[in-house]
Amino acid sequence: MEKFLARRLYGRDEGVKGGSRPAIIIATAGIAVGLAVMILTIAITRGFKNQIRDKVMGFSQHITVTNSRVGLGVIEDPVVCMDTTMDALLSQSVVEHVQPYVNKPCIIRTSEAFHGFMLKGIGADYDRTFLNRYMLRGGFPEPKDSLGNNWVILSRNIADMLGLDVGTKADVYFMQDQVRIRRLTVTGIYETGFLEYDRLFGITEIKLLQRLNDWEPYEYSGLEIGLTSVSKVDEGYGQVRDVMNAIEKQTGEDFLVRTLYDTHSGLFAWLEVLDLNVWIILALMMGIAGFTMISGLLIIIFERTATIGMLKSMGASNKTVRKIFLRLASYIILKGMAIGNAVGIVICLAQQWFHIFPLDPANYYLDSVPMQVGLGWLIILNVVMFILSMLMMLIPSAVISRIVPSKSIRFE
């Protein structure tokens, strides 16, 4: 009976007349808008955090190992990484990849301009997936090319600043005890949209920088360590720290082991602030949706006062009548949630595919608003939304117990 009467009141087939229909429409719209905004808020926040984290990891992996005296001289103290060190790190359960690198500051100069930046030397064992993903033109030289070690990959920001393109050459100056100059050929142009890094890093062959520093083939600026998952950062840090502690005891060297959250603490602190904003927006949207639902259900109850009185006079209890209107509220909530899900998910997918909403990379590190939809949090959001909405409906439904049949029937 409760289900039948609720459907009749909702007007599934013929539509509800009077003030109930606008109330239902407004309540449905409130739920739909509230849920859509919640979905977009969570999707944008997750997209921001994951994309920026992925770009940071693309440049430096999950963990870096450097000499503790890094940055104290023109030429930094190298990290000595023998095969035994590499094997010890790779034997750890959460360590997936270890790649050495050499960083060296330099100035690149053309006839039109010059620019100071960091040249990063990488070897054949370096994971190039990230850089290849954002390569606009050209790429890494093939082994058969006659360039040897005299090549460089620049960001589009630096290349445009200097008027360089794939195939052109530029003089690169290295400041040491005496200035050293190397003429390098541009083989690739990349753009990650992460201007903080695009303006800073160029890529070249690791052997070139080792030779300029007079280092041995097993001496590097540091090691970048990729883990099986970003969720394993704390566990991976402990394992890497244990390995490097053992090596410190053997060699007397001090190593600095840092996670991506240590090396970019300011950036990730900014991202954590977004979480607080998400909770505030979710609370506001939940409040707005709940207010519209409470108002809508009260309007329906007041309009159906005579019906309520008649049901009571026929023997229906307050509990039964409340169940009828709560079921009616559930129909409104579920319809609003269906619309809200559809709108929110469509906007997220459209943004992922077509990048409708752009951003200024100089301020946000990304060129478009990132939106990431996940089935897990979407289900949780819908369940919580429905439960909280139904709990709030207990407030207006309590009015039913105050309706007296002898007085209410006169409202007809």
Side-chain angles (χ1 to χ4, degrees):
M1 181 186 75
E2 295 154 358
K3 182 177 180 180
F4 172 77
L5 290 175
R7 285 187 177 276
R8 293 291 296 174
L9 289 173
Y10 181 63
R12 183 184 59 176
D13 298 322
E14 70 278 10
V16 178
K17 299 178 181 179
S20 297
R21 174 51 59 185
I24 289 177
I25 293 174
I26 293 172
T28 303
I31 292 290
V33 171
L35 184 57
V37 172
M38 291 181 190
I39 291 173
L40 293 175
T41 300
I42 297 176
I44 292 172
T45 303
R46 285 175 59 86
F48 256 114
K49 296 181 72 172
N50 290 339
Q51 281 202 27
I52 291 177
R53 185 188 62 198
D54 290 346
K55 289 185 177 183
V56 170
M57 288 191 302
F59 279 106
S60 61
Q61 295 296 319
H62 300 95
I63 297 175
T64 57
V65 177
T66 60
N67 195 294
S68 61
R69 296 188 297 277
V70 62
L72 297 182
V74 176
I75 299 179
E76 62 193 60
D77 293 324
V79 170
V80 177
C81 181
M82 309 299 290
D83 291 341
T84 53
T85 302
M86 194 75 71
D87 293 340
L89 289 170
L90 289 173
S91 66
Q92 304 304 307
S93 61
V94 299
V95 174
E96 187 173 58
H97 185 67
V98 179
Q99 52 194 35
Y101 68 92
V102 175
N103 281 344
K104 193 169 182 62
C106 63
I107 296 175
I108 187 168
R109 182 178 180 275
T110 65
S111 59
E112 299 177 355
F114 65 91
H115 177 68
F117 69 114
M118 184 71 72
L119 204 53
K120 183 174 186 176
I122 64 175
D125 55 352
Y126 195 91
D127 184 0
R128 303 180 180 185
T129 305
F130 173 77
L131 291 171
N132 285 330
R133 185 190 311 158
Y134 292 100
M135 200 71 68
L136 298 180
R137 299 186 295 277
F140 290 91
E142 298 293 334
K144 61 182 179 181
D145 293 343
S146 59
L147 295 174
N149 300 330
N150 298 316
W151 57 270
V152 65
I153 293 176
L154 301 174
S155 70
R156 187 172 75 168
N157 181 271
I158 296 176
D160 290 347
M161 185 189 309
L162 301 173
L164 297 172
D165 205 342
V166 174
T168 58
K169 296 183 179 181
D171 293 328
V172 181
Y173 295 77
F174 299 92
M175 306 302 172
Q176 299 180 197
D177 295 335
Q178 59 181 12
V179 178
R180 296 189 182 184
I181 306 174
R182 293 292 184 274
R183 173 157 288 192
L184 305 182
T185 300
V186 179
T187 62
I189 305 293
Y190 75 90
E191 182 180 38
T192 67
F194 201 172
L195 287 183
E196 184 175 336
Y197 278 86
D198 287 358
R199 291 171 177 168
L200 180 62
F201 281 105
I203 308 298
T204 191
E205 171 61 45
I206 194 171
K207 295 177 182 178
L208 170 66
L209 303 186
Q210 286 177 320
R211 190 164 59 248
L212 286 167
N213 285 346
D214 296 322
W215 284 356
E216 298 296 333
Y218 49 81
E219 294 181 320
Y220 311 101
S221 295
L223 306 175
E224 295 176 349
I225 301 172
L227 307 179
T228 55
S229 170
V230 69
S231 62
K232 304 288 186 181
V233 167
D234 291 337
E235 183 180 354
Y237 174 82
Q239 293 181 359
V240 173
R241 184 70 266 181
D242 290 342
V243 172
M244 302 316 295
N245 284 343
I247 296 174
E248 286 179 358
K249 292 179 181 178
Q250 297 174 4
T251 63
E253 288 291 334
D254 291 327
F255 297 102
L256 183 61
V257 180
R258 293 177 292 178
T259 69
L260 73 162
Y261 301 113
D262 297 326
T263 54
H264 306 87
S265 57
L267 180 61
F268 284 103
W270 171 65
L271 292 177
E272 290 300 322
V273 174
L274 295 180
D275 290 337
L276 176 60
N277 295 338
V278 169
W279 287 110
I280 293 174
I281 293 174
L282 292 181
L284 288 174
M285 289 301 102
M286 192 68 237
I288 292 172
F291 176 78
T292 57
M293 275 300 305
I294 290 173
S295 301
L297 190 58
L298 282 173
I299 292 173
I300 296 171
I301 290 172
F302 291 149
E303 189 173 66
R304 298 293 176 175
T305 300
T307 303
I308 295 171
M310 186 178 297
L311 289 172
K312 286 189 175 184
S313 66
M314 295 172 63
S317 64
N318 286 327
K319 183 177 180 181
T320 300
V321 180
R322 289 184 70 176
K323 284 183 178 180
I324 294 171
F325 283 88
L326 287 175
R327 186 177 288 272
L328 169 62
S330 71
Y331 295 154
I332 299 172
I333 293 169
L334 288 174
K335 183 177 181 179
M337 289 175 61
I339 297 172
N341 276 296
V343 172
I345 293 173
V346 166
I347 293 175
C348 288
L349 294 178
Q351 176 64 12
Q352 288 181 2
W353 294 336
F354 304 111
H355 306 291
I356 301 169
F357 308 108
L359 288 176
D360 182 3
N363 295 322
Y364 296 99
Y365 306 110
L366 302 172
D367 56 5
S368 65
V369 177
M371 296 186 184
Q372 184 175 355
V373 179
L375 182 61
W377 65 259
L378 200 57
I379 292 174
I380 294 173
L381 177 63
N382 277 269
V383 171
V384 172
M385 176 79 169
F386 181 77
I387 293 174
L388 291 179
S389 297
M390 289 303 296
L391 288 175
M392 283 190 282
M393 291 306 97
L394 296 175
I395 299 173
S397 67
V399 176
I400 293 171
S401 61
R402 299 185 179 183
I403 296 176
V404 180
S406 59
K407 296 181 180 180
S408 61
I409 294 177
R410 290 182 299 175
F411 280 52
E412 188 64 56

